[in-house]
Amino acid sequence: NYLKTALQNLRSHKSYVAINTLGLAVGIAACLLIFLLIQYETSFDNFHKNKERIYRVAAATKSKDGMNYSQGSAFPVAEALRIDYPQLEHVARIYGRDNQQITLLNDKANAPQKKFKENVFFAEPEFFDIFNFPFLAGVSKTALSEINTAVITQETAEKYFGDWHTAIGKFIKYDNDKVCKVTGVLKNIPANTDFPLQVVLSFKTSKGEDMSTDWSNQDGSLNTFVVLPKNMPSRQFDNDLKTFVKKHTPAEYANHGYILQPLSDIHYESKFGTYRGSTVSKELITALSL
């Protein structure tokens, strides 16, 4: 009887039923889309093994208007950290440059073939000890240890050479003058990371080595990452950085400073920035959740 009564009511109020059914469907669809969006935005770089202990050494500069923040650091910071704080598990630099020319070469490394415009990164070997981007070919610890060596992703290798299995030992030319040998192939980089790697050259290949003593230039394209020991609180090392800056920075740049930024905050802090060029505020994620 209840079913019969319900069906009769539905038949007699077709428009009302259609509006409510459509509203319910749209509401469910919107909730599912928002859930997927929140799930995606909160998953950035949480697949790295030591994610709770990975920090970026970010610039914090005093000015008349207050504090200015940047994701960058000076080139000699990393090496000085290795010397002054040997207890740090890992220290590594990565340097990004947009829209760079990559030229394919044949096996003899002298005959140019196709040319591509790519976002190129220069990284120290320890970068792949800090971040867990799997290698399909090559050895992560040594792939970028020598000058003029390159690591590319599976997708990039297939674009360049047709089959990523044949990429090791091939040659590419960077910026018309640096011939680099492919020494590693990365598994395709996931979408939920702020490191959109495609072509990674050894840090020794960059001109950053020429700026190894320049403490004045806090380059936004240069990121320095550290992995703190398990028994070292980040607050303690933040205080240590104040002493570190006073020791190394010339007096005329006394307003320069550095702070630790947790890996878990990088995707959400717009005042620092990312290599992706975009961030999502935690306030927006909270509002969408509500």
Side-chain angles (χ1 to χ4, degrees):
N1 287 333
Y2 285 126
L3 287 173
K4 290 180 180 179
T5 303
L7 288 172
Q8 289 174 357
N9 287 330
L10 290 175
R11 291 193 186 98
S12 58
H13 301 90
K14 293 181 180 179
S15 298
Y16 179 79
V17 171
I19 292 172
N20 278 275
T21 303
L22 179 62
L24 179 62
V26 171
I28 292 174
C31 285
L32 289 173
L33 288 173
I34 291 172
F35 169 77
L36 291 172
L37 176 63
I38 292 171
Q39 184 184 51
Y40 171 71
E41 294 294 351
T42 55
S43 70
F44 267 66
D45 286 303
N46 65 5
F47 53 86
H48 301 292
K49 182 179 178 181
N50 296 315
K51 59 186 178 182
E52 296 87 0
R53 296 189 288 123
I54 299 174
Y55 293 84
R56 181 166 63 182
V57 181
T61 305
K62 294 180 181 179
S63 68
K64 295 179 180 179
D65 301 323
M67 296 295 296
N68 295 321
Y69 298 94
S70 168
Q71 64 178 336
S73 61
F75 280 87
V77 166
E79 193 59 39
L81 285 172
R82 292 188 185 103
I83 296 171
D84 290 4
Y85 302 97
Q87 65 269 36
L88 292 173
E89 286 192 15
H90 297 291
V91 179
R93 293 174 289 185
I94 181 170
Y95 182 47
R97 300 193 68 187
D98 296 337
N99 201 31
Q100 301 295 298
Q101 181 171 295
I102 296 292
T103 305
L104 300 191
L105 302 174
N106 68 5
D107 293 340
K108 296 181 180 180
N110 58 13
Q113 299 176 5
K114 297 180 181 179
K115 296 183 179 181
F116 298 89
K117 289 291 185 180
E118 305 281 12
N119 294 334
V120 175
F121 290 88
F122 301 87
E124 294 182 305
E126 274 194 283
F127 178 81
F128 292 112
D129 290 327
I130 297 175
F131 297 97
N132 302 121
F133 295 113
F135 273 67
L136 296 176
V139 181
S140 62
K141 291 185 179 296
T142 59
L144 296 178
S145 59
E146 300 295 330
I147 192 171
N148 296 336
T149 51
V151 171
I152 58 179
T153 63
Q154 177 184 355
E155 179 184 15
T156 304
E158 291 172 349
K159 179 173 69 173
Y160 288 177
F161 310 114
D163 183 0
W164 67 266
H165 294 87
T166 65
I168 298 294
K170 296 290 181 68
F171 293 91
I172 59 176
K173 182 184 285 187
Y174 164 71
D175 199 25
N176 292 323
D177 64 344
K178 296 184 183 296
V179 176
C180 300
K181 183 178 180 179
V182 177
T183 53
V185 177
L186 291 171
K187 186 177 180 180
N188 285 335
I189 304 300
N192 59 335
T193 178
D194 284 307
F195 300 94
L197 308 178
Q198 293 294 328
V199 177
V200 186
L201 306 183
S202 61
F203 197 82
K204 294 178 180 179
T205 308
S206 76
K207 296 179 180 178
E209 291 291 291
D210 301 331
M211 303 175 67
S212 59
T213 60
D214 184 5
W215 284 86
S216 65
N217 182 19
Q218 295 176 325
D219 194 324
S221 298
L222 176 74
N223 284 196
T224 300
F225 289 92
V226 299
V227 178
L228 298 186
K230 293 181 179 179
N231 60 350
M232 180 183 286
S234 60
R235 184 175 298 179
Q236 174 189 329
F237 195 71
D238 256 332
N239 290 328
D240 291 341
L241 282 176
K242 296 176 182 177
T243 305
F244 174 81
V245 171
K246 289 180 181 179
K247 176 181 177 181
H248 293 285
T249 306
E252 59 267 32
Y253 302 107
N255 62 328
H256 287 191
Y258 293 100
I259 60 174
L260 290 181
Q261 183 188 20
L263 176 66
S264 57
D265 284 351
I266 288 177
H267 187 62
Y268 312 105
E269 288 287 351
S270 60
K271 65 183 179 182
F272 293 101
T274 69
Y275 282 126
R276 288 171 59 92
S278 62
T279 57
V280 176
S281 70
K282 291 183 177 179
E283 290 77 11
L284 176 59
I285 291 177
T286 301
L288 287 172
S289 301
L290 291 173

